[in-house]
Amino acid sequence: MYAQMVRSTGKGITPREEMSAQERAFQDRVDRDDRIEPRDWMPEGYRKTLIRQIGQHAHSEIVGQLPEGNWITRAPTLERKTILLAKVQDEAGHGLYLYAAAETPGVSRDEMTEDLLSGRMKYSSIFNYPTLTWADMGAVGWLVDGAAIMNQVPLQRTSYGPYARAMVRICKEESFHQRQGYDIMMKMAQGSPEQRRMAQDALDRFWYPSLMMFGPSDAESVHSAQSMAWKIKINTNDELRQKFVDQTVPQAEYLGLTVPDEHLTWNEERGHYDFSQPDWNEFFDVLKGNGPCNTDRLAARRKAWDEGAWVREGLLAHARKKAARHTAAE
Ligand code: 3HC
């Protein structure tokens, strides 16, 4: 079936017969799996969706450093400290690639940051939950980075060139992050009864927020149909959530931990696990700014932005001087 015939359950997508000739030609390129590049013509909605999704993704990488950065000074060994430090630095790098990719369809990083600080742009709901114990570093790596990879591996085939290319490196690094998280969980799960309890408690607290990372159910997803027609998204939110559950439950069993879902069962007929949905009221509440850490996260971003103003101004002044000297020499 051609992508443009898909009808959204939320906002509809433009049927082919209502597209302009230019929009039809664009959709044909997407359907042929051509890569769209920044200088190519694109529908305004496609451009805006790229900025929204890639920008939100970039903000998530940057805000995502906060719950883990909080544990760098408290890591239990020097080795764990260096690994965590490297991981947090990787996330900063991901943010930078993604801001660069989001700038290509025509928005500046400053505008995106201002939109984040004013609440017009979002970052992933998961980073509004606190990291209370060292076991949370394991759960974040295993579950949060695990959920991120589940979403991002298919995004390496997204239709927009700069986004797809950024994803290749990001996925390699996220896969290391996921393994280091699982390694922490393994140590804790095989440790003392108290360490085991900490590991189980971290799984209990991060399981449902991790399921929320994939976004609302397909029936509630506003953007999925159009984003999938444009191949900015490759899978629906529910497809990815199911894949994540199917992959993660055996990993929890291997650790000897219990997924906090009494309805979790293997469904032989479907070839998938049946599982409980997260509390969607909680999800939408977190999106509105009412999660346990929303205020702290935005305050930390605002502080970094304000305190970095003199650096940005200095760099711009230097660039202006250099350009003036260059012009004078010519
Ligand atoms: N957190 C915050 N907002 C979310 C969300 C979440 N987990 N899931 C959905 N939303 C928002 C959407 O942004 C949209 O709001 P908007 O219109 O104001 O932008 C609304 O909820 C409706 O959801 P839709 O399903 O219609 O939205 P999308 O089609 O954009 O799907 C998505 C949401 C699956 C998250 C998609 O945007 C996506 O795949 N994004 C790219 C991946 C990404 O951003 N990952 C961040 C994960 S964290 C990370 O990678 C850091 C790493 O270090 C772990």
Side-chain angles (χ1 to χ4, degrees), residues 200-242:
Q200 181 62 52
D201 172 60
L203 170 58
D204 291 348
R205 283 181 290 106
F206 276 93
W207 176 253
Y208 287 105
S210 300
L211 296 187
M212 293 175 192
M213 285 177 69
F214 298 97
S217 71
D218 292 352
E220 296 282 325
S221 170
V222 191
H223 303 293
S224 281
Q226 183 60 74
S227 291
M228 288 179 73
W230 279 329
K231 298 188 186 165
I232 294 175
K233 264 171 101 162
I234 308 294
N235 299 95
T236 73
N237 302 353
D238 285 336
E239 279 167 9
L240 290 171
R241 198 171 1 257
Q242 179 74 62

Side-chain angles (χ1 to χ4, degrees), residues 52-53 56-57 60-61 91 122-125 127 144-145 148 151-152 155 163 174 212-216 221-224 233 237 283 287:
R52 183 182 61 78
Q53 181 168 320
Q56 176 172 321
H57 194 164
S60 305
E61 301 281 358
E91 307 297 5
K122 298 187 167 80
Y123 58 90
S124 183
S125 51
F127 300 121
V144 174
D145 292 83
N151 185 336
Q152 291 166 19
L155 290 179
Y163 192 25
E174 293 293 0
M212 293 175 192
M213 285 177 69
F214 298 97
S221 170
V222 191
H223 303 293
S224 281
K233 264 171 101 162
N237 302 353
F283 170 76
L287 258 53

